[in-house]
Amino acid sequence: MENLISEKNVGPGEVKSPDHPQNKSNKTFASACAILASMTSIMLGYDTGVMSGAAIFIQEDLQINDVQLEVLVGTINLYSLVGSALAGRTSDWIGRKLTIVLAAGIFFVGALLMGLAPSYAFLMVGRFVAGVGVGYAMMIAPVYTTELAPTAARGYLTSFPEIFINFGVLLGYLSNFVFARLSLRVGWRVMLGVGAIPSVFMAIGVLVMPESPRWLVLKGRLGDARRVLLRTCDSKEEAQTRLLGIQEAAGIPADCMDEVVEVPKVEKGHEVWKELILHPTPTVKRILVAAIGIHFFQQASGIDAVVLYSPRIFKAAGIVSRNALLGATVAVGCVKTFSILISTFFVDKVGRRPILLSSVGGMIVAVTLLAFGLTMIEHNPHKKLSWALGLCIAMILLYVGFFSMGLGPIAWVYSSEIYPLRLRAQGTSMGVAMNRVMSGIIGTTFLSMTKALTTGGSFFLFAGVCVIAWLFFFMFLPETRGRNLEDMDALFKSRWRRNQNREEPSDGRRATQLGTTNYAQVDQLSH
């Protein structure tokens, strides 16, 4: 069979063996593209982090009550549903790359509106616009990175959005600490308004990235997809294998070598939603349960309660100075940011499941001890319990650390890689929707929850959720490390217990066995 990626399609220095120095250049290029795409996640992280401290000054300046504050802080996650719902269709229409640019532009407008807000109502309008931009960014960044990344580095590169969310949170906390010295009326507006600056550089930087090879194939642009794969894969063989798999998923004959072709099987939007929601196959059902479930538990574990209301929690633990509150919050941001590096460097070496289960196990211990410490402080209001205060601070830091090393990034990695190509954009948007709904619920109810259950009682509730999450992940999430994206259907067709110990080579040069003619041909070509 003639090679799909032949010498005539490859420029000087592009055809190489796996050990060729140019492979390092390819990895660098793929990493640079993933970084640029993932930087849109800074927008969500910054908004989340900065609002935790800005809320103190907004409440004092605009004279709003706790319920109004909850609505202001938490509803951006519900507004983002609009963006995530539109992002799947938009990205299939204009491409993954331009959708990222659109997300940055929308958030830029929202940040300016918030920074210039003269009233609570105007501020809410800015939150809505920014929320739409956040929804677009959260859906499209992991999809683009997953579709571009080489198989061996997919987990590493797809964790970048969560890295930048954490980095954005840290920037938001630092913004609180720095601008808290400005006047009450100006300080919080500057905190929110400066979020518009990074989005400008992101939109410009994204323009130099290539388009997703899978989107190019869906549009019939095989020549462009071939060239992108040759620039991002570890070897010519891997590029060849991946192109064959994408062509098969899109219904294009494996021996087609034309630059531009007519795609014979194009799923219309309503047909995709029908397959996802109305008439899903057993395989699609399993994928939906895994993808939506991991997003549900990521937020139901209570992480946004800690990130959004950390000053309140530290205050409940016994810290009263405003500077000390903001300083402790910065410490949370630092731990959250640096802990994610553990997942980044080990997710493709150790696997998704071991890191995920270890992460949630650590969260269970940390949040249970945090709840215990807060309960002891609340039951002794006139007695200073230094040991309980120290325990609460340590457990908050451990909790966000365990979250960031596993559940935080792996939720995005896992959910974006398990959908088949035809369902990936819309399916990923469903996971983002669940993520944002749960985040919005936690953000808009946490203060009311603490009044009804006490702060300690609220965290005991989160501890129970984490236990259920651990059991869910253990039972329903098979290992995906080292598998080609086009192999995910086969993985979920059989019970995961039969597959969890079966690993494919992580170098991306061998297609997994699907029992189809095309993949047998790929196997021969790759060797």
Side-chain angles (χ1 to χ4, degrees):
M1 178 181 178
E2 185 178 6
N3 285 355
L4 293 180
I5 299 178
S6 59
E7 300 293 337
K8 67 180 181 180
N9 293 316
V10 183
E14 288 185 309
V15 177
K16 50 201 174 294
S17 67
D19 298 324
H20 196 285
Q22 184 67 16
N23 286 322
K24 185 175 181 180
S25 175
N26 279 17
K27 291 179 181 178
T28 301
F29 180 73
S31 297
C33 293
I35 289 172
L36 286 171
S38 303
M39 283 180 67
T40 57
S41 302
I42 289 179
M43 300 184 296
L44 171 64
Y46 182 84
D47 183 89
T48 302
V50 77
M51 187 54 71
S52 69
I56 300 172
F57 306 102
I58 292 172
Q59 188 170 27
E60 184 178 345
D61 184 30
L62 301 182
Q63 296 297 303
I64 58 177
N65 57 40
D66 278 351
V67 174
Q68 289 175 302
L69 185 64
E70 282 180 323
V71 171
L72 175 68
V73 171
T75 50
I76 190 171
N77 298 302
L78 301 178
Y79 300 149
S80 67
L81 292 175
V82 177
S84 62
L86 295 174
R89 186 68 172 166
T90 303
S91 66
D92 283 346
W93 177 37
I94 65 174
R96 313 318 195 205
K97 185 170 75 168
L98 290 181
T99 302
I100 294 174
V101 176
L102 179 63
I106 295 173
F107 187 83
F108 173 81
V109 174
L112 286 183
L113 291 175
M114 289 190 292
L116 299 173
S119 64
Y120 179 77
F122 198 95
L123 184 56
M124 289 295 292
V125 172
R127 297 288 283 171
F128 173 77
V129 176
V132 173
V134 164
Y136 266 100
M138 291 193 68
M139 180 270 174
I140 197 59
V143 168
Y144 174 87
T145 306
T146 298
E147 294 184 345
L148 188 79
T151 302
R154 189 175 63 239
Y156 163 70
L157 295 179
T158 311
S159 66
F160 279 15
E162 184 68 17
I163 292 176
F164 282 104
I165 288 176
N166 283 270
F167 183 62
V169 169
L170 178 58
L171 289 179
Y173 288 158
L174 291 172
S175 178
N176 290 153
F177 192 77
V178 171
F179 296 121
R181 293 163 177 75
L182 298 177
S183 67
L184 178 63
R185 182 172 178 79
V186 173
W188 66 266
R189 289 179 171 86
V190 174
M191 293 175 191
L192 298 179
V194 296
I197 297 175
S199 60
V200 176
F201 296 100
M202 293 174 207
I204 296 173
V206 166
L207 292 176
V208 305
M209 300 180 340
E211 185 51 85
S212 156
R214 285 175 172 80
W215 183 83
L216 291 170
V217 170
L218 286 178
K219 295 301 178 181
R221 296 164 56 182
L222 288 187
D224 290 337
R226 185 179 298 118
R227 284 182 282 275
V228 171
L229 287 170
L230 284 168
R231 293 193 66 191
T232 57
C233 290
D234 290 337
S235 66
K236 174 189 171 184
E237 290 80 5
E238 182 189 351
Q240 184 170 276
T241 298
R242 290 180 63 190
L243 184 60
L244 273 171
I246 300 169
Q247 285 184 216
E248 182 187 43
I252 299 173
D255 57 354
C256 180
M257 292 184 59
D258 296 335
E259 281 287 308
V260 179
V261 301
E262 182 179 350
V263 181
K265 184 175 65 176
V266 179
E267 299 284 351
K268 296 187 180 297
H270 68 277
E271 293 173 343
V272 171
W273 287 116
K274 186 186 297 183
E275 184 174 354
L276 279 170
I277 299 174
L278 298 180
H279 305 293
T281 64
T283 301
V284 172
K285 285 180 182 177
R286 294 188 187 106
I287 291 173
L288 285 171
V289 168
I292 295 177
I294 196 171
H295 277 292
F296 171 85
F297 285 113
Q298 187 202 54
Q299 293 301 325
S301 65
I303 187 62
D304 271 7
V306 175
V307 175
L308 288 169
Y309 298 104
S310 52
R312 290 273 189 135
I313 298 170
F314 282 122
K315 187 174 182 180
I319 299 177
V320 293
S321 165
R322 180 171 289 181
N323 284 337
L325 288 174
L326 295 177
T329 301
V330 171
V332 170
C334 291
V335 171
K336 201 170 181 342
T337 301
F338 290 113
S339 296
I340 198 174
L341 297 177
I342 297 174
S343 174
T344 299
F345 291 115
F346 291 101
V347 68
D348 285 315
K349 297 179 180 178
V350 178
R352 283 58 159 157
R353 276 174 57 85
I355 295 177
L356 183 62
L357 294 174
S358 299
S359 165
V360 179
M363 289 170 63
I364 292 170
V365 174
V367 76
T368 301
L369 292 175
L370 171 60
F372 172 73
L374 288 169
T375 300
M376 294 301 297
I377 291 172
E378 289 167 340
H379 284 142
N380 296 273
H382 305 298
K383 184 178 180 181
K384 185 175 181 180
L385 301 177
S386 299
W387 67 268
L389 172 60
L391 178 66
C392 289
I393 294 173
M395 290 305 104
I396 288 174
L397 297 178
L398 276 178
Y399 173 73
V400 297
F402 276 117
F403 176 88
S404 293
M405 68 166 269
L407 181 55
I410 289 178
W412 300 104
V413 173
Y414 198 90
S415 64
S416 63
E417 70 184 357
I418 62 176
Y419 284 104
L421 175 61
R422 67 189 183 280
L423 307 177
R424 185 166 298 132
Q426 287 87 344
T428 302
S429 70
M430 290 176 65
V432 173
M434 174 57 73
N435 189 286
R436 294 300 87 198
V437 166
M438 291 309 302
S439 179
I441 291 173
I442 297 297
T444 55
T445 61
F446 181 69
L447 296 181
S448 299
M449 187 189 306
T450 58
K451 291 178 181 178
L453 303 177
T454 72
T455 306
S458 299
F459 281 98
F460 273 123
L461 177 62
F462 292 141
V465 172
C466 288
V467 171
I468 298 172
W470 193 95
L471 295 172
F472 174 85
F473 299 149
F474 181 80
M475 295 174 63
F476 295 108
L477 271 64
E479 181 60 70
T480 58
R481 178 174 72 98
R483 294 182 180 271
N484 292 323
L485 293 182
E486 285 67 41
D487 186 33
M488 295 302 172
D489 263 345
L491 176 62
F492 281 87
K493 276 180 183 176
S494 57
R495 292 181 63 84
W496 69 265
R497 291 183 182 86
R498 281 183 260 162
N499 292 278
Q500 62 179 346
N501 295 322
R502 174 183 164 216
E503 296 183 359
E504 300 297 334
S506 60
D507 60 4
R509 287 176 290 165
R510 178 181 172 90
T512 51
Q513 294 179 353
L514 291 179
T516 64
T517 302
N518 284 348
Y519 275 82
Q521 293 170 337
V522 171
D523 213 26
Q524 294 173 7
L525 287 170
S526 300
H527 291 79

